Amino acid sequence: MLLAAAAAARNPETSEQALVPSDRIGVVVLDLSLSIADEDYATIRRALRRLIAEEAAIGLVVFSDVPYELLPPGTPAAELKPILRLLVAPRLGPVSNPWTQTFRAGTRISAALGLARASLERDDVASGSILLVSDLETAPDDVPALATAIAKVEKAG
């Protein structure tokens, strides 16, 4: 089950809060590891569609064991539209997910959060926000690094 965006994306018409506050630039940190269940891809697509509808300013980091910055902070969320068709469970989709071949087991959420924070700092974003879309299953040896990464995000505000 995806934790960060699932509840808000499930019923976007009834939620009053935006996934990324309108006064912030967000970085979406999207878990595409093998632990993401087939049914979770619908939740991921709903969350991204909601960001598009909210006309959010976002960046996009996708990750499994290694994070990749696909969109820099401040990108209009409408740029997510071409990515939506690729977000289909690898076992279900007619479209091959381009990350399936390069991502491995051994999820490292800490590295993805670190890249998101670094991209906000690099682009001098004074009012940033990070939206983690993940099942929160990380490699056991990533737990201490994840705690450090979260502390750095909190310290950065």
Side-chain angles (χ1 to χ4, degrees):
M1 176 177 175
L2 296 173
L3 299 175
R10 201 167 285 139
N11 294 309
E13 64 280 343
T14 61
S15 179
E16 294 181 25
Q17 287 189 327
L19 292 178
V20 174
S22 60
D23 62 339
R24 293 185 174 262
I25 293 176
V27 176
V28 178
V29 179
L30 183 57
D31 185 346
L32 296 178
S33 64
L34 297 176
S35 66
I36 300 297
D38 293 349
E39 61 273 8
D40 290 334
Y41 280 88
T43 303
I44 292 169
R45 287 191 307 278
R46 277 193 304 273
L48 296 185
R49 283 189 190 108
R50 181 161 169 202
L51 289 166
I52 293 166
E54 293 172 356
E55 298 180 353
I58 55 97
L60 178 63
V61 171
V62 296
F63 74 98
S64 175
D65 55 333
V66 176
Y68 296 92
E69 181 180 4
L70 294 184
L71 298 172
T75 301
E79 295 297 319
L80 293 170
K81 288 178 184 177
I83 295 169
L84 287 172
R85 69 179 178 80
L86 301 172
L87 295 174
V88 179
R91 293 171 294 281
L92 298 177
V95 177
S96 175
N97 177 325
W99 304 287
T100 303
Q101 297 303 315
T102 56
F103 283 168
R104 306 276 185 253
T107 308
R108 303 224 175 266
I109 298 172
S110 64
L113 288 177
L115 180 57
R117 183 183 51 78
S119 70
L120 289 166
E121 290 174 357
R122 176 198 68 217
D123 291 356
D124 294 321
V125 175
S127 187
S129 179
I130 296 174
L131 174 65
L132 175 62
V133 182
S134 175
D135 59 5
L136 300 180
E137 289 190 33
T138 196
D141 64 343
D142 187 45
V143 173
L146 179 56
T148 299
I150 291 170
K152 287 181 179 179
V153 167
E154 287 179 337
K155 183 178 179 185

